[in-house]
Amino acid sequence: MTITLHSLAEGPRSAPVLVLLNSIGASTAMWDPQVAVLAERFRVVRIDSRGHGRSPAAPPGQPGQPCTIDELARDVLAVLDRIELDLGVTRVHLAGLSLGGMTAMWIAAHHPQRIARLALLCTSAHLPPAKARFDRAATVRRDGLGPIADAVVQRWVTPGLAARDPGLVAALMAMLRGTDAESYAQCCEAIATMDLRPDLARIAAPTLVIAGSDDPAIPPEHAQTIADGIAGARVEVLGNAAHLATVERSGEVARLLLEHFCPPDGAGPGAGGATLSAGYATRRAVLGDEHVDRAIANTTELTALFQDFITRYAWGDVWSRPGLTRRDRSIVTLAALTSLGADHEIAMHVRAAIRNGLTPAEIGEVLLHTALYSGLPRSNRAFAIAQQTLAELDASVPITSDRQ
């Protein structure tokens, strides 16, 4: 079920909206060091996860039905709906740390039209072993947060900072202990059941990934995995920082977020990359390394400028824009190629459509629908090409048509 989360808005109502999501066990007070600076440029909306901060606790979960990351994401999406009603803003910037970053990734992958730019801090797309998370959920449900509090807070800041500032440690401890035990347990289950790695290629928003060099909870290699999966994503590793980088490296985090969410003119929300690096990243994600490597190897002096052009503008700009998912772009592309009779391109984009999440049956529906508006002969030919291509891919679900 969806929980009505507490949110706190600061900054000018007319400014772009920046939504901040918290870590498991922490309230959005973890963003306090950045808010004053960010609120000068943005309408900053902080959202407490279920049972965290001032958000209501979640009711007990059903036995055998662990909470999932998409449930937590739908809690946040309900707040985005409220923002849209209040401000008329349909797309926001989104930043999340740890569990907040996981939730942000799910939203960016499944509702890309709602996210302009994305920042992911000290987070992971997959955090095994699941048993450890389920065991922690069981402990918290049985005994409350007390038994785990010391170990959790020790991971939030480096030993040096903890020794220098016992008052900070006490405040973090109070924040953790103020979290509802059932809600914390449900968030543990969401992390245990989460694997966002297959979704990363669907994220089209320009993305910044920040890690702490000394983060024992989620080491920096998790950040690189995320960046490798999201076309054009950039990684920044902060030295001398543990899990709550917003607390330990507050100024540096604020600077990185401002730079990312206030891009130079021409690179604002909705802008594509129009760079070779972004183009090659997206092109490889959609078409596969083998295809791109073959195209590069076959480049000649005559075709070099054209290869640069399509990589930079077709893939680095249009295909990298956040306004449509790659899945949606594959649907449009297959329909357009069929309509044009561009037989030499169809097989390549059938393969791309499979990589972008379409099923063979859905590809068949696209070609059938296109037949109504582009004519039977061209769709008939497209079906033949698609059938042969899917057979080569050993697709498990056949597509059908009323081929003549």
Side-chain angles (χ1 to χ4, degrees):
M1 63 176 297
T2 299
I3 306 299
T4 303
L5 302 181
H6 171 264
S7 62
L8 174 64
E10 300 159 273
R13 286 179 57 86
S14 60
V17 177
L18 170 58
V19 173
L20 305 177
L21 306 180
N22 57 288
S23 170
I24 183 172
S27 73
T28 51
M30 54 165 276
W31 292 101
D32 282 352
Q34 286 77 43
V35 167
V37 173
L38 295 175
E40 293 179 358
R41 307 286 294 274
F42 300 99
R43 180 69 168 176
V44 178
V45 180
R46 289 187 275 176
I47 303 174
D48 281 314
S49 301
R50 52 176 64 183
H52 291 63
R54 296 172 62 185
S55 282
Q62 297 296 317
Q65 297 180 18
C67 181
T68 59
I69 201 70
D70 58 292
E71 291 181 63
L72 302 183
R74 290 189 178 95
D75 291 349
V76 174
L77 285 167
V79 182
L80 300 189
D81 289 341
R82 299 204 306 260
I83 292 172
E84 182 175 355
L85 286 173
D86 180 37
L87 301 175
V89 174
T90 58
R91 298 178 66 214
V92 302
H93 299 308
L94 183 60
L97 189 146
S98 189
L99 177 66
M102 300 166 191
T103 306
M105 277 185 273
W106 191 94
I107 293 172
H110 293 269
H111 296 269
Q113 74 280 4
R114 308 200 71 159
I115 307 303
R117 299 179 78 84
L118 182 68
L120 306 169
L121 294 80
C122 304
T123 192
S124 176
H126 182 55
L127 199 60
K131 183 178 184 302
R133 314 291 165 189
F134 285 124
D135 288 348
R136 177 174 290 191
T139 297
V140 169
R141 282 194 173 105
R142 184 182 63 245
D143 302 322
L145 287 158
I148 69 166
D150 287 337
V152 169
V153 173
Q154 285 175 9
R155 291 175 159 222
W156 282 359
V157 294
T158 59
L161 177 58
R164 293 193 307 273
D165 197 342
L168 171 64
V169 174
L172 295 176
M173 188 72 72
M175 183 166 58
L176 173 63
R177 289 178 176 272
T179 303
D180 172 67
E182 172 62 27
S183 302
Y184 185 96
Q186 290 184 16
C187 291
C188 286
E189 292 172 343
I191 295 173
T193 57
M194 173 199 71
D195 188 355
L196 296 170
R197 292 173 297 178
D199 290 336
L200 294 177
R202 301 170 62 182
I203 297 177
T207 301
L208 170 67
V209 188
I210 299 175
S213 63
D214 305 303
D215 185 350
I218 303 181
E221 53 263 31
H222 289 262
Q224 191 59 56
T225 297
I226 293 170
D228 289 344
I230 302 175
R234 180 168 66 95
V235 175
E236 292 282 350
V237 179
L238 301 179
N240 196 32
H243 194 53
L244 288 192
T246 56
V247 172
E248 191 142 23
R249 296 296 305 276
S250 56
E252 190 68 6
V253 169
R255 180 187 67 80
L256 289 170
L257 293 180
L258 281 173
E259 289 178 354
H260 179 64
F261 290 122
C262 300
D265 291 344
T275 65
L276 280 175
S277 59
Y280 276 118
T282 302
R283 193 176 179 189
R284 289 181 181 279
V286 174
L287 300 181
D289 289 335
E290 182 179 353
H291 175 91
V292 176
D293 289 342
R294 185 167 60 250
I296 293 172
N298 291 334
T299 300
T300 66
E301 184 176 355
L302 175 65
T303 64
L305 288 176
F306 181 71
Q307 283 293 321
D308 180 279
F309 174 80
I310 61 173
T311 302
R312 185 184 301 272
Y313 292 102
W315 296 104
D317 191 348
V318 176
W319 270 90
S320 295
R321 292 175 64 85
L324 291 175
T325 66
R326 290 177 183 167
R327 186 179 188 280
D328 292 339
R329 293 188 187 279
S330 278
I331 292 173
V332 174
T333 301
L334 283 174
L337 293 175
T338 300
S339 299
L340 292 169
D343 294 357
H344 58 291
E345 295 275 342
I346 291 174
M348 176 177 70
H349 280 280
V350 167
R351 296 187 185 94
I354 293 293
R355 294 176 67 91
N356 285 341
L358 270 74
T359 66
E362 288 172 328
I363 291 173
E365 290 294 332
V366 172
L367 301 183
L368 181 63
H369 189 84
T370 306
L372 290 176
Y373 299 93
S374 301
L376 292 175
R378 287 185 173 176
S379 288
N380 187 43
R381 176 59 179 153
F383 266 112
I385 296 171
Q387 191 74 60
Q388 179 180 347
T389 304
L390 290 169
E392 293 169 357
L393 292 174
D394 194 27
S396 59
V397 183
I399 64 173
T400 59
S401 73
D402 297 326
R403 292 182 58 194
Q404 299 175 346

